[in-house]
Amino acid sequence: MKNSTKLGLGALVTATVLLMFYQTQARRKRFLDPRTPRRPSNTEFLPLAKVVKEVNHQLTARQQVTKDLLKVTAEEGQHANVVTETTDNEKQKNALTDHQWLKFTDKLLIAKESILSIEWGKITDFSSVFPDWAIGLPEWTTKLQKELNMEPGSLADEIWREAKDPKINPEVEWDAHVRQGTELCDEEKVFLGRRKKFTKKALAKYLEIPESDIHDDDVPVIAITGSGGGLRAMVAGTGFCQALATAGLYDCATYTAGVSGSCWLQSLYLTSIGGCSFSRVIQHLKTRICVHIAYPPKALELVTSTPTNKYLLRGVVERLRTGYSSFGLVDLYGLLLGARLLVPSDELNMNDGDLKLSNQKKYIENGEQPLPIYTAVRHEIPFVGGENEKGEAIPEEIKEQASKTGDSWFQWFEATPYELFCEDLEAGIPTWAIGRRFKNGINIDREVPEMKLPLLFGIFGSAFCATLSHYYAEIRPFVTSIALFLTLDKMVLDRNEDLSKVHPIDPAMMPNFVKGLKESLPHTCPESLWESENIKLMDAGMSNNLACYPLLRSGRKVDILLAFDSSADIQTANWLGFAEGYAKQRKIEGWPISIGWPKEGTPDESLQKELEDAQAYSTAEATEKLKEAQRENEEVEASKPVAQRRVEQKKKSALGYCTVWVGSKEERSADEEPPPSKAVEEDWELMQQNAGITVAYFPLIPNKRVPGVEPEISPYLSTWNFEWTPEQIDQTVALATANFEEGADKVKRTVMAVYKRKKMLRLERIEETQ
């Protein structure tokens, strides 16, 4: 029943999204062409509602047939296993594989039958019900089903045979082990030694100092982090990085780290498509993201036509044939992203090597490029987290207890071309082993090729797997702009804690590599992962939209962090400030205190007066009165016209194009709270002996040099926009470039100051030993 409900709901949601998309397209065309006739009334779309209802009915009925078929198949499979005397593990694997594959191909059959059941001939006004491309759906679906039926000679059969070929996938002959501990993996340590030679040479050129005058120990470890924000973050991030490269600073970096769209950028840069050139990445985007990611004709053409179909479906077939995890909405999303981003404009010139994250080693192994760090998170919800992975029913009294006492949190997972690692679990596996099952620290089956990049793209950028709390944060500006909805706003905010534990759309799954390691796992590993088969991962932006945490990990010793923030909520969500909690928890020395966008601070004088007039008799009552006064103030702000709020927002204190902070390593007593870090105004502040980590922050904000481009207002700069014109790409790149250039001199002086400080401290240490 649960699966049927999910499937039916999925069909309704999908149909609704498609309807909204094509209604938007139709409105756009009518707006651009005044000669077009009037907009159809709502009744003209009624046939689509009937079709959706019929599709949902067929899906529900078909699900029962599928269950019966799976039961028979399982019985037949068990009988066959007895005859052939296969092992217990092989029995389980075969049953699971057949189950997953049958579910997937059955869904294709459902889709085909649903489409064919429509009486197309009776629809007189076809254009008012479906877009023109819909007439080809039966043919496309039939073709895809034929290629994926695993019969000899089919595309799926060919892909699966190649997947097990060690000449194509050498990792299928390697055993993988779980590496436990907090240190960096050996491959990264080797990389750091090699990268230092390149950063030293680049630093000399950037600071205009003879390379012979620079000691290896004086070279600052510079890291770059980009934010989440879909294609906006990817396009703007490309502009920022291109400006860095032009200035000579990108070559000085040791690490790059990304969230969501910034992960896509890192990966595209390190492929044969990007060729380690941001100019090439920009040109590629202009040819590939001009069509909406959900536009079916182009996507279906790529997955059903040679040679792109084999290229794109490798990961899908391998995932389903191994049978370890189901194929969900996030995987489909990743497939669509792969079709948009990983297929070159010359579709005959595709490189299968671009599909593996581990293959990016060839671009970095000698130290020529910074090490990329990709991020995802798992949402641990006490007492409910086990339900996420295990699917077990949990008694209502336990759920109620969890809602009262349990706090949810996010566990960060990082992936590099070398390793997939989780700091909370203190465990990792080789990147080439992502996708295979583990038990007691060693893989169960090694004949599993590395999970392909399109599926990882889906995980890195699955912002739609957000909690209901995150969803509401996205639409709250619209809700609060209507006075009628202010009561609803208050009701939702009062229940925000509950909403933050509900994910309407399931995250993607991959096999749990710490299964069976209960005794050797740290206390930070929740009980729900001790024996779970899978781990559910999603967009790291659910936790923090800037990838600061992995860059602060012990062993990476970052001196300067360059943060390029293209978030949609720059001025309301202080992503830099959130890193402070991580730094305290992990005892990271030198992270700046209380940095980021200025807080609105204490209530203004009018609110203070209201609080005094309330004559509260207790601390609790005073706090409640204060919250009430703040809510009333928010309601007043929300009732103002958008234009007025925009003008007032500009008057508020805000950061500029580049703000620099530096932390302190000064030792303090346990009870003594360090003072907030102030923005650096003079270079000498960076050269103090106890100076810590330096952070340079570049937000994507309007710039007079690029008129008409306003990230908070321009519609095409929305996180949810997946259709860009070449002109919009150029404008966004120009804005990011202009913003960096505003702070280029400040950053250069910052790098020079940190270099001089490291040199000074090194010389002092030498004097002390003599």
Side-chain angles (χ1 to χ4, degrees), residues 445-458:
D445 308 289
R446 68 181 183 183
E447 296 86 5
V448 179
E450 178 183 340
M451 182 183 288
K452 298 301 183 286
L453 202 51
L455 299 183
L456 293 176
F457 269 17

Side-chain angles (χ1 to χ4, degrees), residues 667-689:
E667 294 185 5
R668 298 176 181 276
S669 64
D671 299 330
E672 187 178 359
E673 185 69 20
S677 301
K678 296 181 180 180
V680 173
E681 297 179 0
E682 302 291 340
D683 295 347
W684 62 263
E685 298 176 64
L686 297 164
M687 297 182 64
Q688 297 185 70
Q689 288 187 336

Side-chain angles (χ1 to χ4, degrees), residues 536-558:
K536 287 192 173 183
L537 297 178
M538 67 190 87
D539 192 318
M542 302 300 98
S543 173
N544 192 324
N545 218 34
L546 282 170
C548 299
Y549 303 158
L551 295 173
L552 299 180
R553 186 176 147 198
S554 176
R556 290 190 169 138
K557 302 177 181 179
V558 171

